[in-house]
């Protein structure tokens, strides 16, 4: 059982006009096995929340705390956060030319587990995870995210999540750019990892579409850099009907 | 040993276009007619495979096959009494690379001329490794008979003080293919001019380069491809990384398509990765076209800083920053290194790149 606890989080970015506050006091607690949907209009700060937790250097934490099982996450380097059990599935996964998927996965898993996986079991483990995500084995010889379609990038993110076995995963707009079939495959992957590994999930999305496949336990409406309304799955239904208009001035 | 004395051509001052990037004051006198250049064959062949003959010949019996106006190369031509001759028999299929190793031990300026003759339809790979500390001016000419396929790999793994000026000139016959890999990592000043001319249709040149300059190093590569006959092809791909204060690289990519060279197909590319402040990469592609009747001609040159988003992505998967940087840099060079297909050398280059990277924190 793990708990990610975010308290009073304020985050700024440096712009040409100076520091600009994006997150204005976020409070959120995610436990193992729970799925929290973070829904909100574009520009509300959802992705900033994701990247701040992962430790992207662009964002400055001005106040508040983030802890994983009581340990201060904000003091950790980016790789330490991953080793502690956090995972960010990115909306725009980055291309790394010349680095093969297989080399990348092996290097990452070795870093997270603290030892290189045994060759014999590792090959099978990767193959099984790829098959479950309907990925061609030849995929592992390609360079990381280079020339990947939108669907391939997202599958590759979920593949990493499956192999790295995080405690808490943040899925940032994982549904964007996916057609119906890809959305189903990716969602099934997320559900499988959640089931097998008792994963806690922060599911960031603009649309309710993905919630048909990944059932949230809690829905948080995000606007103006903080959570403005919370509820159960029924809140998503309301958002689907009414949109975010009523939060625009929040 | 002979004294090079011919002075009927201009000693460069640094203001001439071909010399404007080169720090002449660091060439240990290679360009100064007052400095004596020692004629010495310091390349040592190891395990010469069947189908290859390596001999030392009188320079007069094997005059240069090409013309050059490079002052230092002309000093080499004037100064050498002997030539190292590498002859690859016609139709020879030589799977194992021919290794020639040069280990220099002192800073006495040295000159060297090599001539490689690849026979009709022969297949071979020549590897020249330069290690140690020295001052060297050399010319290597490659003469590819019709249908020959010659791969040339040269590693500049010099110690820190070395000075190396070279011309590698390939004359490529009908349906012959020349592929070169110029890897420059060590040395104080390295200035290499890989040049190509064609003598028949269906001929092809692929010129690859990899360089990594750290603190104070000057690594210069001056590619010159002359399309003077119809139906020839060229590809140039040079990649460099720079790390540390006053690291300087120069890449010149001259491609000339003469009026007679219909059906030419050429593309050249140079990419530089700046890993720290205070480093400078000069990149000058130059395409001159005298006929419109060609298959294609293009060039690209990019110089950019290390991509922090790549670093963040890898670290967010648990990979520590140093290792993430190594992965990205290895990845940057991998398309060239993986083409070498000589495992021991690939590994050595990658390890050397890793160690260059650890010289300065980026």
């Amino acid at each position: 059982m793990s708990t990610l606890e975010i308290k009073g989080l304020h985050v700024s970015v440096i712009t040409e006009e100076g520091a600009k506050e994006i997150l204005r006091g976020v409070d959120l607690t995610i436990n193992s096995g729970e799925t929290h949907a973070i829904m909100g209009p574009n520009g509300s700060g959802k992705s900033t929340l994701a990247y701040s937790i992962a430790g992207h250097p662009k964002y400055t934490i001005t106040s508040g705390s983030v802890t994983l099982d009581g340990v201060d996450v904000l003091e950790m380097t980016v790789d330490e956060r991953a080793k502690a059990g956090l995972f960010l599935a990115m909306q725009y996964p980055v291309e790394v030319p010349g680095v093969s998927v297989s080399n990348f996965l092996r290097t990452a898993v070795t870093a997270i587990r603290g030892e290189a996986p045994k060759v014999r079991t590792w090959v099978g483990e990767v193959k099984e995870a790829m098959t479950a995500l309907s990925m061609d084995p030849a995929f592992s010889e390609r360079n990381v995210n280079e020339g990947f379609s939108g669907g391939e990038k997202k599958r590759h993110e979920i593949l990493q999540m499956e192999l790295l076995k995080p405690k808490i995963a943040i899925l940032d707009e994982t549904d964007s750019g996916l057609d119906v079939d890809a959305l189903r495959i990716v969602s099934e992957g997320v559900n499988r990892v959640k089931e097998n590994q008792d994963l806690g999930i922060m599911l960031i999305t603009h649309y309710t579409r993905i919630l048909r496949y990944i059932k949230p336990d809690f829905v948080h409406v995000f606007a103006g850099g903080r959570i403005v309304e919370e509820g159960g799955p029924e809140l998503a239904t309301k958002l689907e009907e009414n949109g975010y208009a009523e939060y625009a001035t929040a | 040993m002979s004294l090079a004395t011919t002075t009927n051509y201009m000693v460069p001052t640094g203001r001439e276009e071909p010399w404007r990037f080169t720090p002449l004051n660091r060439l240990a006198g290679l360009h100064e007619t007052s400095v004596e250049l020692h004629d010495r064959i310091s390349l040592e062949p190891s395990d010469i495979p069947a189908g290859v003959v390596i001999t030392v010949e009188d320079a007069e019996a094997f005059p240069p096959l090409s013309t050059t106006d490079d002052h230092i190369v002309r000093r080499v031509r004037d100064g050498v009494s002997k030539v190292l001759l590498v002859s690859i028999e016609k139709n020879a299929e030589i799977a194992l690379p021919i290794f020639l190793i040069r280990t220099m031990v002192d800073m006495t300026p040295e000159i060297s001329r090599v001539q490689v003759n690849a026979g009709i339809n022969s297949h071979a790979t020549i590897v020249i490794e330069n290690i140690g500390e020295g001052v060297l001016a050399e010319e290597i000419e490659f003469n590819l008979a019709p249908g020959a396929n010659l791969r040339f790999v040269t590693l500049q793994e010099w110690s820190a003080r070395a000075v190396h000026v070279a011309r590698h000139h390939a004359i490529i016959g009908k349906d012959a293919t020349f592929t070169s890999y110029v890897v420059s990592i060590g040395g104080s000043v390295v200035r290499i001019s890989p040049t190509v001319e064609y003598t028949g249709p269906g001929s092809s040149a692929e010129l690859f380069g990899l360089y990594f300059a750290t603190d104070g190093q000057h690594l210069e590569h001056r590619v010159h491809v002359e399309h003077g006959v119809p139906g020839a092809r060229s590809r140039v791909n040079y990649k460099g990384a720079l790390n540390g204060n006053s690291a300087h690289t120069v890449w010149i990519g001259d491609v000339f398509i003469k009026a007679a060279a219909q059906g030419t197909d050429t593309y050249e590319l140079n990419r530089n990765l700046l890993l720290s402040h205070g480093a400078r990469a000069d990149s000058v592609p130059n395409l001159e076209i005298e006929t419109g009747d060609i298959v294609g001609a293009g060039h690209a040159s990019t110089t950019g800083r290390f991509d922090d988003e790549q670093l963040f992505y890898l670290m967010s998967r648990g990979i520590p920053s140093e290792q993430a940087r190594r992965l990205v840099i290895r990845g940057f060079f991998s398309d060239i290194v993986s083409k070498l297909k000589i495992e021991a050398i690939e590994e050595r280059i990658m390890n050397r790149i890793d160690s260059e990277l650890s010289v300065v924190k980026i």
Side-chain angles (χ1 to χ4, degrees):
Chain A
M1 171 77 182
S2 285
T3 302
L4 177 73
E5 196 166 21
I6 302 160
K7 278 187 186 167
L9 192 66
H10 287 252
V11 172
S12 294
V13 290
I14 303 299
T15 68
E16 282 174 9
E17 290 89 44
K20 184 182 175 208
E21 184 166 68
I22 302 201
L23 298 189
R24 303 168 181 199
V26 178
D27 295 287
L28 180 65
T29 300
I30 298 175
N31 295 307
S32 294
E34 295 175 357
T35 299
H36 293 251
I38 309 285
M39 306 191 64
N42 291 328
S44 59
K46 304 187 299 292
S47 287
T48 298
L49 176 62
Y51 279 85
S52 301
I53 296 168
H56 194 286
K58 184 178 159 190
Y59 301 101
T60 306
I61 315 290
T62 51
S63 68
S65 68
V66 178
T67 59
L68 181 64
D69 299 328
V71 181
D72 187 356
V73 168
L74 301 179
E75 282 296 307
M76 299 178 191
T77 57
V78 174
D79 55 315
E80 287 168 351
R81 296 177 198 213
K83 286 186 193 105
L86 292 174
F87 181 86
L88 169 62
M90 297 189 196
Q91 182 178 5
Y92 303 110
V94 182
E95 291 182 10
V96 191
V99 177
S100 70
V101 167
S102 68
N103 183 16
F104 166 63
L105 292 176
R106 195 176 162 77
T107 305
V109 163
T110 302
I112 295 272
R113 296 182 190 172
E115 59 175 2
K118 291 197 172 56
V119 176
R120 195 176 297 170
T121 52
W122 171 244
V123 173
E125 191 181 344
V126 174
K127 202 176 160 195
E128 192 183 332
M130 287 180 72
T131 306
L133 286 162
S134 303
M135 296 168 86
D136 186 329
F139 194 86
S140 60
E141 297 315 312
R142 292 170 66 182
N143 291 333
V144 172
N145 292 320
E146 203 176 45
F148 286 17
S149 69
E152 286 171 335
K153 283 182 182 170
K154 298 303 170 72
R155 276 185 237 195
H156 181 228
E157 294 292 285
I158 301 308
L159 174 68
Q160 294 166 51
M161 185 175 84
E162 181 139 23
L163 295 169
L164 297 179
K165 302 192 185 345
K167 294 169 179 163
I168 305 287
I170 302 166
L171 310 182
D172 186 18
E173 310 258 1
T174 292
D175 51 337
S176 70
L178 294 185
D179 62 27
V180 176
D181 292 327
L183 181 62
R184 183 180 49 76
I185 291 166
V186 164
S187 301
E188 284 171 3
V190 172
N191 290 332
R192 192 171 53 247
V193 178
K194 184 187 169 183
E195 187 89 354
N196 296 341
Q197 302 172 17
D198 200 29
L199 183 69
I201 298 172
M202 183 193 295
L203 179 70
I204 293 174
T205 182
H206 183 81
Y207 301 103
T208 53
R209 188 175 68 141
I210 194 172
L211 304 182
R212 285 176 222 151
Y213 301 92
I214 303 173
K215 297 291 179 197
D217 303 299
F218 305 94
V219 174
H220 311 264
V221 181
F222 210 80
R226 57 200 171 85
I227 292 166
V228 293
E229 189 171 356
E230 294 178 298
E234 74 288 346
L235 183 52
T237 315
K238 184 184 139 196
L239 288 171
E240 180 152 37
E241 287 162 7
N242 304 339
Y244 297 109
E246 66 172 284
Y247 306 105
T249 54
Chain B
M1 199 164 81
S2 76
L3 188 63
T5 52
T6 311
T7 53
N8 60 344
Y9 37 87
M10 293 291 285
V11 176
T13 62
R15 288 188 293 276
E16 303 79 4
E17 177 59 31
W19 294 99
R20 70 183 174 102
F21 291 108
T22 312
L24 292 171
N25 58 347
R26 288 164 59 191
L27 287 184
L30 282 176
H31 66 300
E32 285 166 21
T33 41
S34 59
V35 172
E36 192 180 346
L37 304 178
H38 294 259
D39 174 18
R40 195 186 289 159
I41 304 267
S42 54
L43 279 172
E44 298 279 346
S46 67
D47 299 338
I48 302 168
V52 183
V53 178
I54 300 181
T55 54
V56 175
E57 304 285 350
D58 284 336
E60 283 166 15
F62 290 88
L65 303 168
S66 58
T67 57
T68 179
D69 54 9
D70 185 301
H71 169 74
I72 292 178
V73 176
R74 289 170 73 160
R75 290 197 75 195
V76 172
R77 291 179 171 191
D78 290 345
V80 295
S81 61
K82 301 287 182 186
V83 173
L84 188 76
L85 192 70
V86 179
S87 307
I88 299 157
E89 289 173 8
K90 70 175 182 183
N91 299 319
E93 292 273 351
I94 301 165
L96 290 175
I98 304 155
F99 279 94
L100 294 162
I101 297 166
R102 175 189 279 119
T103 307
M104 292 181 76
V105 290
D106 63 50
M107 297 292 281
T108 310
E110 220 176 282
I111 49 177
S112 161
R113 245 190 79 208
V114 178
Q115 208 173 88
V116 178
N117 289 306
I120 294 171
N121 294 330
S122 62
H123 278 67
T125 299
I126 294 178
V127 180
I128 293 186
E129 298 178 44
N130 290 308
I131 52 180
E133 192 161 84
V135 176
L136 172 70
E138 68 167 345
E139 178 174 42
I140 308 173
E141 287 180 303
F142 302 90
N143 188 21
L144 280 72
N149 188 318
L150 183 65
R151 300 174 81 227
F152 168 55
V153 180
T154 176
L155 308 175
Q156 280 56 245
E157 292 194 277
W158 299 110
S159 308
R161 288 204 301 162
V163 176
H164 182 195
V165 175
R167 175 177 190 253
H168 303 152
H169 184 74
I171 303 163
I172 308 174
K174 180 177 179 292
D175 297 324
T177 299
F178 177 72
T179 311
S180 75
Y181 301 86
V182 175
V183 178
S184 301
I185 295 178
S188 167
V189 178
V190 173
R191 183 189 200 266
I192 295 178
S193 306
T195 59
V196 167
E197 65 177 287
Y198 303 89
T199 57
S203 47
S204 173
E206 298 209 11
L207 310 178
F208 297 99
L210 184 164
Y211 46 89
F212 199 138
T214 51
D215 277 352
Q217 271 187 302
H218 177 94
L219 304 179
E220 179 169 349
H221 297 88
R222 311 180 65 88
V223 177
H224 182 117
V225 179
E226 186 117 352
H227 283 276
V229 301
R233 176 179 177 275
S234 60
R235 291 289 181 272
V236 177
N237 183 2
Y238 271 65
K239 283 185 161 183
L242 297 88
N243 190 16
N245 205 20
S246 308
H248 188 196
T249 65
V250 177
W251 178 83
I252 308 292
D254 286 336
V255 175
F256 294 105
I257 304 173
K258 299 291 180 193
Q262 299 97 5
T264 292
D265 179 6
T266 178
Y267 193 82
E268 53 170 353
L269 172 70
N270 176 228
R271 290 191 63 199
N272 295 296
L273 192 54
L274 297 170
L275 302 174
S276 68
H277 292 283
R280 174 179 165 154
D282 284 296
S283 179
V284 187
N286 179 31
L287 187 57
E288 286 184 24
I289 306 178
E290 291 176 1
T291 172
D293 183 12
I294 55 170
V295 173
H299 60 73
S301 162
T302 61
T303 296
R305 299 212 164 268
F306 190 89
D307 184 351
D308 289 332
E309 294 301 324
Q310 292 179 352
L311 192 63
F312 173 74
Y313 187 72
L314 295 171
M315 288 181 73
S316 77
R317 272 55 179 148
I319 301 170
S321 65
E322 282 297 302
Q323 198 182 358
R325 287 188 170 100
R326 281 202 298 274
L327 263 185
V328 171
I329 307 293
R330 278 180 169 238
F332 174 71
F333 286 123
S334 71
D335 61 332
I336 291 174
V337 176
S338 65
K339 283 194 180 71
L340 278 169
K341 306 288 180 210
I342 307 172
E343 205 173 313
I345 290 182
E346 289 176 34
E347 196 49 39
R348 230 172 68 199
I349 293 170
M350 284 304 193
N351 288 338
R352 186 74 194 246
I353 288 168
D354 283 353
S355 65
E356 294 291 298
L357 207 52
S358 59
V359 173
V360 179
K361 289 259 186 205
I362 54 173

